[in-house]
Amino acid sequence: MKHLFSKVIVSCALVAMAAGAASADYTDTTIYDGQQNVFATGDSVRVTNVKVIGIDLRPSTYGVYIQEQAGGAYSGVLAYRSGNIPTYEAPNAAQPVAIGDVITVEGTVNDFAGLTEIDNPALLHFVSTGIPLAPQVLPPESLTTEYAGSERWEGVLVQVQNV
């Protein structure tokens, strides 16, 4: 019985691998789901109609901080790419990424030092321009250095009250 069970697991894994190899499709999701570990490291995902809330232009590391428009805890993430900043696909390829833009991002889920990110977005799909999101106002005790507290507000535009 143990041998038969192993064959079933291997067969299922091969079918799953063949299905994944046949299609480079992205799974539509939300940042909220990504932050709740609905997807595993290496999964290809697409998040749609999210706002650019920040742009990281450190030497040799680039990223676009994106946030769900509804806001709140677990609504933000970094779309990270080493080497150069992600750019828009045609016909918006000449347009620089700006804070307040509404975009769609396709990339790979990764976990860096306990924080979720979307790695190697090849192109950002421009949807529209807009006004930047208002920050989420939080009391200082909401922000902690422990994992659960830091993951909760990772990549979310916040303002700390009464510091």
Side-chain angles (χ1 to χ4, degrees), residues 28-48:
D28 288 315
T29 188
T30 64
I31 295 173
Y32 299 110
D33 281 348
Q35 292 285 21
Q36 298 299 320
N37 299 316
V38 171
F39 296 96
T41 295
D43 286 352
S44 296
V45 297
R46 177 187 303 116
V47 292
T48 59

Side-chain angles (χ1 to χ4, degrees), residues 84-156:
N84 58 16
I85 191 161
T87 57
Y88 289 129
E89 68 174 347
N92 302 97
Q95 179 175 340
V97 177
I99 293 173
D101 285 355
V102 178
I103 65 174
T104 294
V105 177
E106 296 173 342
T108 306
V109 174
N110 191 20
D111 187 77
F112 178 76
L115 300 176
T116 305
E117 63 186 26
I118 299 175
D119 271 356
N120 299 314
L123 296 167
L124 305 177
H125 307 282
F126 177 81
V127 177
S128 67
T129 57
I131 57 170
L133 288 174
Q136 177 81 40
V137 180
L138 302 172
E141 60 271 11
S142 292
L143 303 175
T144 66
T145 56
E146 66 185 36
Y147 174 76
S150 60
E151 181 80 2
R152 179 179 172 90
W153 299 108
E154 168 205 0
V156 177

Side-chain angles (χ1 to χ4, degrees), residues 48-71:
T48 59
N49 293 317
V50 294
K51 283 251 187 171
V52 175
I53 61 164
I55 302 169
D56 183 354
L57 297 174
R58 291 175 287 171
S60 76
T61 63
Y62 302 91
V64 178
Y65 288 93
I66 54 175
Q67 184 177 336
E68 297 285 350
Q69 293 190 53

Side-chain angles (χ1 to χ4, degrees), residues 1-24:
M1 185 66 159
K2 183 177 179 183
H3 184 65
L4 177 60
F5 185 67
S6 296
K7 283 186 176 181
V8 170
I9 290 175
V10 170
S11 296
C12 290
L14 289 173
V15 168
M17 285 173 46
S23 173

